[in-house]
Amino acid sequence: MGHGGNVVDELMTDHREVEELFGRIDGLAPGDKDRKVYADQVTMELVRHSVAEEAYLYPAVREHVPGGDALADQEIEDHARAEQLMKDLEGCEAGDPEFDRLMTALMTEIRSHVADEEQNLFPKLRASCPPDALDALGDKVRQAKKVAPTRPHPSTPSTPPANKLLAPGVGMVDRLRDTLTGRGKKD
């Protein structure tokens, strides 16, 4: 996840990547162990994406978009619901009866969130934020995703400054755990 371009282009590319992973999950039979691999990859991508949005996108929305506080608050609420679903999903294997229910709920939540961002929030941000600021935000988001956590941590702060201070340390621990366990990798 680091594509280049302004913040909107960067985040929309992330959205397409997550949707592609959802398609891979949908294309496999229930209980197929690769569904868990792809679910872990989705979680890793979504957590990094969410952390970057909360650190940089939503503060910019609050600053530049009329009514931005309410928009940002709603997006953070969406993230909290998705993060709890990802946390619950983390403990399920592909054959677990809860896996499909949780995965379907996560896909529904994320698709709704993406549609709202792309149809509502992003156009408002583009209209109210100077292009050079959008480019700078794209760079900040890319940097944040590099050090962000890869596992859901529903109890951690979702607003600056605490989230910006905690994310790199938590991210380092998560990436180490992922490497040691092979999380998100096929056998």
Side-chain angles (χ1 to χ4, degrees):
M1 282 185 139
H3 316 290
N6 70 41
V7 68
V8 173
D9 296 337
E10 177 76 18
L11 296 174
M12 286 180 67
T13 301
D14 289 353
H15 292 167
R16 300 293 88 74
E17 289 179 352
V18 167
E19 186 58 42
E20 181 182 322
L21 289 168
F22 284 164
R24 289 181 186 175
I25 292 167
D26 281 339
L28 295 170
D32 187 310
K33 66 180 177 58
D34 285 345
R35 288 171 58 92
K36 176 64 172 175
V37 172
Y38 292 132
D40 286 343
Q41 290 175 5
V42 161
T43 297
M44 295 162 89
E45 298 300 320
L46 286 173
V47 169
R48 286 192 292 243
H49 177 91
S50 295
V51 166
E53 284 186 334
E54 291 169 4
Y56 295 103
L57 176 67
Y58 300 146
V61 168
R62 291 179 192 284
E63 179 183 344
H64 296 285
V65 176
D69 285 338
L71 284 170
D73 290 345
Q74 180 58 54
E75 300 297 333
I76 290 170
E77 285 179 34
D78 291 352
H79 282 193
R81 285 191 301 276
E83 191 163 17
Q84 188 58 57
L85 286 167
M86 288 184 283
K87 187 66 177 171
D88 295 343
L89 192 60
E90 194 175 41
C92 292
E93 292 302 319
D96 187 317
E98 277 294 283
F99 181 90
D100 287 338
R101 185 190 70 76
L102 290 167
M103 197 69 236
T104 298
L106 179 63
M107 287 178 181
T108 300
E109 181 69 36
I110 295 303
R111 287 172 174 150
S112 173
H113 177 77
V114 165
D116 182 54
E117 279 189 342
E118 292 186 2
Q119 296 165 14
N120 185 30
L121 187 132
F122 291 167
K124 289 179 179 179
L125 185 64
R126 279 192 199 269
S128 61
C129 192
D132 60 328
L134 293 174
D135 289 342
L137 281 170
D139 291 339
K140 288 178 181 177
V141 162
R142 278 185 287 285
Q143 290 305 311
K145 288 189 296 184
K146 288 179 184 176
V147 298
T150 60
R151 295 171 182 260
H153 298 279
S155 61
T156 59
S158 58
T159 56
N163 64 344
K164 289 182 183 179
L165 295 172
L166 294 174
V170 174
M172 184 175 68
V173 171
D174 283 356
R175 284 186 301 284
L176 178 60
R177 285 178 63 200
D178 294 343
T179 299
L180 292 173
T181 63
R183 180 173 173 253
K185 306 270 190 240
K186 285 187 169 190
D187 294 332

